[in-house]
Amino acid sequence: MLLRPTNEDFKIIVHYIGRLIVGLGIILVVPLITALVFNEWDRALDFSISMLLAIFFGLLLQKIFPATRDLNWSQGLAVTSISWLVAMLLGAVPLMLSGHYASYLDACFDAMSGFATTGLTLIQNLDHVAHSVNMWRHLMMFLGGQGIVVIALTFLVKGTAGAYRMYVGEAREERILPNVIQTARFIWLISLVYLVIGTVILGLIGFFEGLPLVRSFLHGSWVFMAAFDTGGFAPQSQNILYYHSLPYELATMVFMILGTLNFGLQYVVWHGNFRELFKNIETRTLFSSITIISLMTTLCLLSTYPYLMANFRKGFYHIVSAHSGTGFMTIYAPQFANEWNLPALLMTIIAMGLGGSACSTAGGIKALRIGIFFKALLQDIKIIMSPGSAIVVQKFHHIKDIILEDRLVRSALIIFISYLATYLAGALVGVAYGYPLAEASFESVSAAANVGLSAGLTSPTMPAGLKITYIIEMWVGRLEFMSIFILFGLVFARLTGARGKSH
Amino acid sequence: MKNLSLIMFCFLLLGNCAAAAAVSSNDLIAKAHIYDGRTIEFTGEVVGDVMIRGDFAWLNINDGAQAIGVWTNKQAAEKISYVGDYTHIGDTVKVAGQFHRACPQHGGDLDIHATEILISKQGHKVKHTVNNYKFAMTVILLLAIVAVSVWSPIKKPK
């Protein structure tokens, strides 16, 4: 029986959303400082307005809805799912004020794409965008990749139980350290250390490839944020093709792969256990999948790119970009549809759909779940081949040895089916708007798996209904469904549930 | 036979005319197979950076729809005075050169190898003025935050 949530439940939810909004407002100080440093005074006002607006609303919600209790499960998950929508609405304000968007919906599309680390974009005249706006576009990816709630856990939330419930809502089930706030801080530590290293590497490459010093390091930090957080935004309209540079492409490939690795795995490797990289079911599945799909794509593209280097830089690069959920491109979007044959497009769609690792910045179904399915299949084969009285225990290694239970397979299967349904629904909406099936499927999978590769559908002129569809796909794909199911469950329970205390 | 020769001559003539014709970025990308290897003319604004690579350089030229990479010699690139960014409108250049759908020299990039670059319009600085309404809005929001911070809602007695 569903218990009807009380007004108190909703007050707690709104209170915590208020806290998260304040956190988001404070973070807007980064692009504000960038605007001041580069004398972008009008943009500085845009970011001031956005920051103050967020802080004002955040404080107001906390004052009107004071809360003294910690969050329960459904409240924590609801806070997370709503916070992502509120973050989109607020994150879009400076984008809209910059004058580079045709409508507020377009700005919201890019804000959700940024936070969800997708990379599809509707920005116009990107080559003339201010440094501060580019900083905000890429910072959204950096924040969204680690998790908006993870930021709040690091600075704003005291109660660890409620914090864990919000953390899980962001598609992060793994507690790397015993305390979830320590886990959040570790995720930030890793990301910031990599940010410094990545910025230096890309900055130096950019400098030696002919970019002026300051721009090379600015581009380095932005491209790193988009690569490590498997986002896919870039500061120029040609994306990574702009640099015409093999070293740049190689470096971004390494960062994309780093970003797609599980933070739990990174913790173990950081502590010296390099063998885990080779033993872990997730890395084995991920690298097997990347290898197989890349080889098949390379074969499919032999007629498109007859030279080995061209095939590597176009075929392999885009499969790594797709599989890691990044969406960096070194070709133009229409080239996918015009020049890549159907099998190559299909391989890219599969790579995007499968995605990277769980508890990473990547989207998609995730390698861990695919690995679990293979292990379950193996277990079933063993059961059939064993004597009737035999008990078959199947184990897999993910940080530690884990016994494969039906419960694990079931939860992986629910997420798998949810992703497939979302991919299909988005593709059908695209087809309903008159786009060809291949391109509509490509774009839908790219949005829901938070990849960002485009076959050319995503543009400011696409129908508003399709923009909203992709926003929803990006949102549900990033949060991996459960917290959104809970949100709808809460609304449903409010309308139909029995009275009683839900806390 | 004479008629056939005449038709073939006309086709060749048309082909040559088309090869030297001005093409937009959208056309180059959408019909890359048709223009591949042909001499084309492309006009647009130089955006981003002039990236010098040894005796050559990369320019990225945006015609308002898409930017396309142009591989040119260093001397021609050094004549560019302004590149387009937030504070500048870049030089508008007319490029004549060979178009590649998947350049064998540059890892399969779609690019143009320039034989001639002509600056048709010089770029300039862009002045961004501060919007007074935005300034007023900032002040109002600051005051609103102060008001919310000192405000304590009246609690209803239970």
Side-chain angles (χ1 to χ4, degrees), chain A residues 126-144:
Chain A
L126 177 57
D127 293 326
H128 291 95
V129 159
H131 288 325
S132 52
V133 176
N134 260 326
M135 180 61 86
W136 179 232
R137 292 174 69 237
H138 292 86
L139 193 63
M140 281 192 290
M141 296 202 137
F142 198 58
L143 303 174

Side-chain angles (χ1 to χ4, degrees), chain B residues 7-27:
Chain B
I7 291 166
M8 280 182 73
F9 178 73
C10 287
F11 266 113
L12 280 171
L13 204 66
L14 277 172
N16 280 337
C17 289
V23 192
S24 70
S25 60
N26 279 340
D27 265 0

Side-chain angles (χ1 to χ4, degrees), chain A residues 426-438:
Chain A
L428 288 176
V429 174
V431 170
Y433 274 108
Y435 293 102
L437 179 64

Side-chain angles (χ1 to χ4, degrees), chain A residues 40-43 45-46 48-49 52-53 55-56 59-60 63-64 66 97 127-131 208-212 215 219 236-238 241-245 249 303-307 309-310 313-314 330 332 334-335 338-339, chain B residues 29-30 32-33 45 47-53 58-60 62 66-70 84-86 88-90 101-104 106-110 128-131 134-135 137-138 141-142 144-145 148-153:
Chain A
E40 298 164 352
W41 302 112
D42 203 40
R43 298 290 80 82
L45 282 177
D46 296 346
S48 301
I49 290 170
L52 297 173
L53 196 68
I55 293 172
F56 170 72
L59 288 177
L60 193 67
K63 289 268 180 172
I64 296 173
L97 291 174
D127 293 326
H128 291 95
V129 159
H131 288 325
F208 288 116
E209 292 287 48
L211 267 69
R215 274 177 66 84
H219 279 228
Q236 300 287 151
S237 62
Q238 291 151 284
L241 176 64
Y242 171 81
Y243 303 100
H244 306 282
S245 165
E249 287 165 26
S303 57
T304 312
Y305 304 111
Y307 309 100
M309 183 51 82
R313 285 178 69 176
K314 302 303 168 196
T330 61
Y332 295 91
Q335 286 185 279
N338 296 342
E339 295 176 22
Chain B
I29 293 163
H33 274 290
E45 177 197 357
V47 290
D49 306 274
V50 175
M51 292 179 275
I52 305 289
R53 307 269 167 95
W58 277 111
L59 304 175
N60 289 296
N62 192 326
Q66 306 267 5
I68 289 186
V70 173
D85 58 21
Y86 178 62
H88 297 94
I89 296 291
R101 179 191 64 82
C103 178
H106 296 115
D109 285 2
L110 184 148
H128 296 274
T129 49
V130 174
N131 187 325
K134 287 181 182 176
F135 189 75
M137 188 71 186
T138 308
L141 281 168
L142 257 176
I145 287 172
V148 169
S149 302
V150 296
W151 173 58
S152 53

Side-chain angles (χ1 to χ4, degrees), chain A residues 232 297 339 352 373 433 498:
Chain A
T297 310
E339 295 176 22
M352 290 196 291
F373 292 148
Y433 274 108

Side-chain angles (χ1 to χ4, degrees), chain A residues 82-95:
Chain A
I82 299 170
S83 295
W84 277 73
L85 289 179
V86 176
M88 174 192 78
L89 294 172
L90 288 171
V93 173
L95 298 181

Side-chain angles (χ1 to χ4, degrees), chain A residues 10 44 50 55 62 93 189 191 214 241-242 330 347 349 363 424:
Chain A
F10 286 103
S50 312
I55 293 172
Q62 287 180 70
V93 173
L189 174 73
S191 307
V214 175
L241 176 64
Y242 171 81
T330 61
M347 286 297 125
I349 292 173
L424 184 67

Side-chain angles (χ1 to χ4, degrees), chain B:
Chain B
M1 193 65 192
K2 263 187 179 177
N3 284 344
L4 189 67
S5 301
L6 193 68
I7 291 166
M8 280 182 73
F9 178 73
C10 287
F11 266 113
L12 280 171
L13 204 66
L14 277 172
N16 280 337
C17 289
V23 192
S24 70
S25 60
N26 279 340
D27 265 0
L28 285 175
I29 293 163
K31 299 167 189 166
H33 274 290
I34 296 171
Y35 291 107
D36 193 18
R38 289 170 68 170
T39 301
I40 54 113
E41 198 180 281
F42 180 65
T43 304
E45 177 197 357
V46 183
V47 290
D49 306 274
V50 175
M51 292 179 275
I52 305 289
R53 307 269 167 95
D55 292 335
F56 293 88
W58 277 111
L59 304 175
N60 289 296
I61 295 174
N62 192 326
D63 69 348
Q66 306 267 5
I68 289 186
V70 173
W71 180 243
T72 183
N73 62 56
K74 191 179 168 184
Q75 289 77 19
E78 281 172 343
K79 287 178 187 161
I80 305 296
S81 313
Y82 291 96
V83 287
D85 58 21
Y86 178 62
T87 50
H88 297 94
I89 296 291
D91 291 349
T92 302
V93 294
K94 192 182 274 187
V95 177
Q98 194 178 27
F99 173 75
H100 298 106
R101 179 191 64 82
C103 178
Q105 190 188 339
H106 296 115
D109 285 2
L110 184 148
D111 66 16
I112 300 166
H113 286 208
T115 48
E116 193 184 349
I117 293 185
L118 191 77
I119 298 174
S120 56
K121 192 179 170 191
Q122 195 160 46
H124 55 86
K125 279 195 169 186
V126 178
K127 200 179 175 190
H128 296 274
T129 49
V130 174
N131 187 325
N132 288 333
Y133 290 111
K134 287 181 182 176
F135 189 75
M137 188 71 186
T138 308
V139 175
I140 291 167
L141 281 168
L142 257 176
L143 293 173
I145 287 172
V146 173
V148 169
S149 302
V150 296
W151 173 58
S152 53
I154 301 157
K155 285 177 187 169
K156 285 178 191 169
K158 285 188 178 175

